[in-house]
């Protein structure tokens, strides 16, 4: 005989495992600080690559002007300006990614608690049925 509550509980757990369970397993492996640090590191690497690509594209688009004024450019000031933009970009994206990964971790932990709560209820249900037999 099928128990309707057991079927509902197992269905909810299966849906959760299929949709959000993939991310749940990834975050369950890490402490919160490690997960956030790894996320910020990924953001720093991708931000650096994006900045390099943008600088190359800017140089290609303005190649004629750069070549025409190559002797008149103040390289120190240009280097300081590029470094300031890079540092500003890195700081902004580090802060944003820190908040985003912290939110994702907390959301995943809440889902894990709910999942394990349902798992414990299901375990108690099965143990209760075994004792009756």
């Amino acid at each position: 005989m099928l128990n309707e509550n057991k079927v509902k509980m197992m269905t909810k757990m299966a849906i959760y495992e299929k949709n959000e369970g993939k991310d749940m397993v990834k975050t369950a492996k890490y402490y919160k600080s490690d997960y956030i640090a790894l996320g910020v590191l990924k953001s720093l690497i991708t931000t650096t690559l994006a900045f390099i690509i943008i600088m190359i594209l800017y140089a290609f688009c303005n190649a004629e002007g750069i070549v025409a004024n190559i002797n008149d450019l103040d390289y120190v000031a240009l280097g300081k300006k590029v470094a300031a933009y890079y540092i500003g970009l890195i700081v902004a994206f580090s802060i944003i990614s820190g908040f985003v990964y912290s939110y994702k971790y907390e959301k995943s932990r809440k889902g894990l608690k709910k999942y394990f709560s349902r798992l414990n209820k299901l375990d108690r249900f099965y143990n209760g049925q075994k004792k009756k037999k």
Side-chain angles (χ1 to χ4, degrees):
M1 183 169 157
L2 290 175
N3 187 339
E4 188 176 327
N5 290 333
K6 181 178 89 168
V7 172
K8 284 181 182 179
M9 194 180 316
M10 290 178 75
T11 304
K12 286 179 184 178
M13 290 172 58
I15 290 170
Y16 184 78
E17 284 178 9
K18 183 178 179 187
N19 295 337
E20 300 169 15
K22 297 172 189 171
D23 293 333
M24 173 184 65
V25 171
K26 290 179 186 176
T27 57
K29 295 179 184 178
Y30 299 104
Y31 291 110
K32 183 177 181 179
S33 59
D34 293 340
Y35 182 74
I36 294 171
L38 182 64
V40 170
L41 182 63
K42 288 181 200 176
S43 295
L44 290 176
I45 292 169
T46 55
T47 303
T48 300
L49 291 174
F51 185 78
I52 290 169
I53 291 170
I54 289 170
M55 292 306 300
I56 290 170
L57 289 174
Y58 179 79
F60 283 152
C61 289
N62 297 317
E64 185 177 335
I66 293 172
V67 171
N69 296 325
I70 201 159
N71 292 328
D72 298 330
L73 287 176
D74 185 10
Y75 292 108
V76 174
L78 181 65
K80 287 180 182 179
K81 192 174 184 181
V82 169
Y85 284 137
Y86 176 70
I87 290 170
L89 197 67
I90 289 293
V91 168
F93 276 97
S94 295
I95 292 170
I96 291 169
S97 65
F99 284 122
V100 168
Y101 281 101
S102 176
Y103 174 77
K104 285 174 66 174
Y105 187 85
E106 291 299 325
K107 185 178 175 186
S108 174
R109 283 296 173 182
K110 287 178 185 176
L112 272 173
K113 285 179 184 178
K114 195 182 300 183
Y115 176 76
F116 283 119
S117 170
R118 289 180 181 151
L119 199 60
N120 286 334
K121 285 180 186 177
L122 194 61
D123 186 46
R124 286 192 301 266
F125 179 79
Y126 279 118
N127 287 337
Q129 277 189 340
K130 287 180 183 177
K131 288 180 183 178
K132 289 180 182 178
K133 290 182 180 181

